[in-house]
Amino acid sequence: MEAYKQEFIEFMVESNVLKFGDFTLKSGRKSPFFMNAGAYVTGSQLRQLGQFYAKAIHDQYGLDFDVLFGPAYKGIPLSVATTMAFAELYGKEIRYSSNRKEAKDHGDAGILLGSGMKDGDRVVIIEDVTTSGKSIEETFPIIQAQGNIEIKGLMVSLNRMERGKGTRSALSEITEKYGFPANAIVSMADVYEYLGSTERDGAPVLTEELKAAIRGYYEQYGAEEYRGMF
């Protein structure tokens, strides 16, 4: 596992973004872990977050793209922080763009916030986490409406590796439906592997009880392409 992935897992836990316990998700599923990207609230956290995203996007998609699109609302700070990180780490000027929930009809009019898009632009979409693909359903036609745009791919922070609308993961379903790759900085398998052998204050971060709960969760809700990985 790449060093930045290990650092990102530590970063999520230290920032209280990734938590373990007993949670009820919007879907109604009972989960032993929960991720809340809204817990990144300080300048230093956002700077580090942007750098992690930039490294992962660079690894997966290189530097040959023009716009980083972050769907409203959580995607807005992600796209801003990550474009800044690209300038800092790679000397590459990427434009950020996002959608408004409602189009503005005066001043800086239109549906987009930040940069506009034009024929020939190459776009990477950035999100916190995707469990159902709903936000892509909303933003894909917005991007398409801007012209002849090439979507290079999607990057999220965590691949939950659970079933989306069908038997496969939401990221796999997005790729199958829209034709562009969907990747994550880390997966829950990475988290399980790394934290399963990490100790804090002499105690394991993931106890045997938590490991069993995570395995049980994936036996029930795991995407078919990840069967047997826990």
Side-chain angles (χ1 to χ4, degrees):
M1 189 189 309
E2 295 90 334
Y4 78 83
K5 292 188 176 184
Q6 297 178 8
E7 293 165 4
F8 183 62
I9 294 168
E10 292 273 5
F11 177 62
M12 285 194 293
V13 174
E14 290 169 0
S15 300
N16 208 31
V17 166
L18 180 61
K19 297 185 285 188
F20 299 94
D22 185 14
F23 305 96
T24 300
L25 307 179
K26 284 183 181 179
S27 62
R29 296 174 181 174
K30 299 285 188 180
S31 173
F33 62 91
F34 180 69
M35 182 194 165
N36 174 25
Y40 296 121
V41 293
T42 70
S44 62
Q45 285 176 331
L46 289 171
R47 181 174 181 271
Q48 290 180 77
L49 181 61
Q51 291 176 345
F52 284 122
Y53 266 104
K55 290 174 183 177
I57 291 170
H58 178 264
D59 277 0
Q60 293 292 335
Y61 308 124
L63 295 173
D64 294 329
F65 67 100
D66 311 290
V67 179
L68 199 57
F69 186 89
Y73 288 104
K74 287 183 178 179
I76 298 173
L78 293 180
S79 60
V80 172
T82 306
T83 53
M84 294 172 69
F86 266 100
E88 181 180 355
L89 296 177
Y90 304 109
K92 174 73 173 180
E93 291 290 0
I94 304 292
R95 291 149 32 217
Y96 95 89
S97 184
S98 183
N99 61 299
R100 292 183 169 97
K101 289 296 186 179
E102 295 180 359
K104 189 177 177 184
D105 60 5
H106 61 282
D108 183 19
I111 193 67
L112 297 182
L113 177 70
S115 173
M117 287 180 271
K118 62 185 185 301
D119 285 350
D121 273 343
R122 299 158 301 175
V123 177
V124 170
I125 304 172
I126 184 171
E127 287 202 276
D128 57 346
V129 66
T130 296
T131 53
S132 68
K134 182 179 179 181
S135 65
I136 298 298
E137 289 181 0
E138 296 172 350
T139 57
F140 183 74
I142 293 173
I143 294 173
Q144 280 196 314
Q146 307 310 307
N148 184 21
I149 310 296
E150 178 188 357
I151 298 179
K152 300 281 288 187
L154 166 70
M155 182 62 68
V156 302
S157 58
L158 178 67
N159 180 358
R160 290 185 59 97
M161 301 177 68
E162 61 192 80
R163 296 196 305 270
K165 293 180 178 178
T167 60
R168 295 174 64 78
S169 70
L171 292 183
S172 294
E173 289 176 347
I174 287 169
T175 297
E176 290 167 0
K177 182 174 182 178
Y178 299 104
F180 56 79
N183 292 284
I185 302 176
V186 294
S187 68
M188 274 305 297
D190 295 327
V191 171
Y192 184 90
E193 175 190 345
Y194 179 69
L195 293 183
S197 58
T198 300
E199 292 189 353
R200 280 205 177 89
D201 301 322
V205 176
L206 288 186
T207 63
E208 291 304 319
E209 182 181 4
L210 265 175
K211 287 181 182 179
I214 292 171
R215 290 194 299 270
Y217 184 78
Y218 282 101
E219 286 174 7
Q220 186 172 7
Y221 298 117
E224 64 178 18
E225 67 266 37
Y226 301 124
R227 289 290 183 185
M229 291 190 67
F230 292 90

